Amino acid sequence: VFRARDGYLAIILVTDDAFKSLCEFIGSELYLDSRFESFPARLMNGEALQTDLEHPLRQFDVADICKHLDEKGVPAAIANSPDEIFEDPQIIEQEAIITVEHPVAGTMRVADTPFKFEGQNALPAMHAATLGQHSAEILRELGVDEKQIDRIEKREASNREMMAGFSLAQAK
């Protein structure tokens, strides 16, 4: 992931031609540097590569870099910040974000499955389990007896009550 003038982008520089295309676009001759002459060399010198590409890439906008690299067949994509994800045209077009109701946090927007198949039924829009929500079920499946499960649940309820009024400010 690299920083450009107006944001971040991910570029896949596996092939030497891809690396050369990037270098030529940003006006750099790094592809001639022996530290970066091959994919294994670029991997071994990753920190130096990142550092050496940082300044030249900041002279360009993300969209311009992606457009050029796309024309050259070099895989590149905008790396959204968390705030930008919900407004990304591709995310919106693919309906990659769904809304779910969480019993504690309320209405939340979360990522849907990364792939969809024709004829696939919609997946249930469910929230992540809360801490301990399925503990008793799992313990039963593991063969733990009901008395032990009851003791664990009572202890956890007591711990939750004790921690309910606790804050980090009090710990100082």
Side-chain angles (χ1 to χ4, degrees):
V1 175
F2 299 94
R3 180 155 175 79
R5 178 174 27 224
D6 62 341
Y8 293 88
L9 71 156
I11 308 172
I12 309 298
L13 299 171
V14 176
T15 69
D16 298 337
D17 287 341
F19 183 58
K20 185 175 181 183
S21 291
L22 173 65
C23 290
E24 288 174 344
F25 175 72
I26 62 175
S28 169
E29 293 188 347
L30 284 173
Y31 65 94
L32 299 173
D33 188 318
S34 63
R35 296 174 301 162
F36 312 127
E37 67 187 358
S38 66
F39 180 59
R42 289 190 292 278
L43 283 176
M44 289 186 60
N45 296 291
E47 282 186 43
L49 178 63
Q50 188 85 23
T51 300
D52 289 353
L53 286 173
E54 184 174 321
H55 179 72
L57 282 170
R58 286 187 180 221
Q59 309 311 307
F60 299 91
D61 289 337
V62 170
D64 293 335
I65 298 168
C66 286
K67 182 179 185 293
H68 172 78
L69 294 178
D70 186 52
E71 289 169 358
K72 298 291 184 179
V74 178
I78 295 169
N80 288 320
S81 71
D83 294 336
E84 296 167 328
I85 292 170
F86 298 107
E87 305 307 321
D88 183 287
Q90 185 173 0
I91 298 291
I92 294 167
E93 172 68 26
Q94 294 184 354
E95 299 176 348
I97 302 294
I98 59 173
T99 302
V100 298
E101 288 298 323
H102 191 278
V104 177
T107 302
M108 299 175 64
R109 296 189 320 178
V110 298
D112 198 359
T113 58
F115 46 82
K116 296 179 174 88
F117 297 102
E118 189 176 324
Q120 167 185 326
N121 292 333
L123 296 175
M126 297 178 61
H127 60 82
T130 56
L131 183 62
Q133 181 178 345
H134 301 293
S135 296
E137 288 175 59
I138 294 168
L139 290 170
R140 284 185 192 98
E141 286 179 21
L142 293 173
V144 175
D145 82 35
E146 286 299 319
K147 288 182 183 177
Q148 181 66 14
I149 293 172
D150 286 341
R151 281 194 296 274
I152 292 169
E153 287 180 334
K154 285 177 184 166
R155 184 187 69 217
E156 289 306 310
S158 173
N159 288 345
R160 278 191 297 276
E161 284 177 28
M162 181 176 63
M163 294 303 289
F166 180 77
S167 73
L168 290 177
Q170 294 171 326
K172 291 181 180 180

